[in-house]
Amino acid sequence: MKNVLITGENSYIGTSLENWLMREPKEYNVDTVDMKDGSWKEKNFSEYEVVFHVAGIAHVSSDPKMEDLYYKVNRDLTVETAEKAKAEGVKQFIFMSSIIVYGESSSRKRVIDRNTVPTPSNFYGNSKLQAENGIKNLESDDFKIIILRPPMIYGKGSKGNYPRLAKMAKKIPIFPNIDNERSMLHIDNLCEFIKIIIEHQESGLFFPQNKEYVKTSELVKTIAQLKDKKIWITGLFNPVVNSMYRFKIVNKVFGNLVYEKSMSDYDEANYQIRTFKESIELTEK
C-alpha cells in the first residue's frame, strides 16, 4: 500500500486526486494537510512514501502588493515542504507547477516544445519557476522529484477560465469563430497521470495534456449543445476580436498556447482516458 500526503487541504486538484486514489483503498492510503498556518510543520512526513504538493496561489494577479505573497507561498513554502519531506524519508515529491512558466498565450499560433525556454511574464509564473529551481537541488537517489507543468485544468467544480466560458455558452446567442488552439487537461486525465507516475516511481519533468487541442469556439459550442442551447458561431466579429488581443481577457479566451503533442506521451501507460467530448459531458452533467 502507498501512503500519500496531499498538501493543500480542500483544494480542487488535491480533493480530486484523493477521491481518485481512494477508489483503490487496498492500494492507497491518502491524507491531507492544511498549509495555511504553521501547524503542518509538526506533521510527521515519515509515514508517507509520496508527498503531492499542490498548496499555492493558483490565480494570476497583476496587483504589485501581491508579489511578495506569491513568492512566499508558491516558492518558499514549496522549498520548505520539500526539505521537510526529504529530511523525514519521503521517497517521491510531486510538485504542481504550470504552463504559465512559459508566459502568456498569443494571438498567433504558439507551440511549446522541449527546447522552449521558460519566460514567465508575471510573478505568478516566476514564483512557480523559482520553486521548481529551488527543489531540483534536493533530488537524490532516495528522494525523487516530479515537476508537472499542466495547461489549463478543468472538470466539474473547477474554477478559473472554464466556468466563465461555460457560463457564456449557456447565455449568449452568438460567439466569434476564432481559429485558435489551446492545450487543456481534464481533471480525470491529470489524476490518472499522477496515479501512474506514483506507481512507476517516476522522477523528472512532465507535461500532461489531453489528446486533443481545443478551439475556444468548439468548446463553447459543445457546452451549448449539451445544455440544449442554440448558439451561432460566426466569423463576422473576428476583425474586432483580432484587434483586441492587447486586452488580457481577450487573450485568455482566444489566445494560442499548446504543448507539442509528443511531449505529453507516456510510454508506460495511457493516462488520457477522457476524450474532449467525454470530458465536457462529465463536467457539464
Side-chain angles (χ1 to χ4, degrees), residues 154 186 210 274-284:
Y154 67 102
H186 185 256
N210 291 347
R274 307 296 187 209
T275 64
F276 166 69
K277 185 175 181 180
E278 181 185 10
S279 73
I280 302 303
E281 290 173 348
L282 288 169
T283 302
E284 295 299 324

Side-chain angles (χ1 to χ4, degrees), residues 89-92 139-144:
V90 172
K91 300 300 182 185
Q92 192 181 43
E139 188 164 27
S140 66
D141 291 340
D142 297 325
F143 187 63
K144 296 182 177 182

Side-chain angles (χ1 to χ4, degrees), residues 214-232:
V214 178
K215 181 178 177 179
T216 305
S217 61
E218 287 298 319
L219 171 62
V220 169
K221 181 180 178 180
T222 301
I223 295 171
Q225 289 174 339
L226 288 170
K227 296 298 181 180
D228 294 325
K229 299 290 184 181
K230 291 184 178 180
I231 191 165
W232 181 32

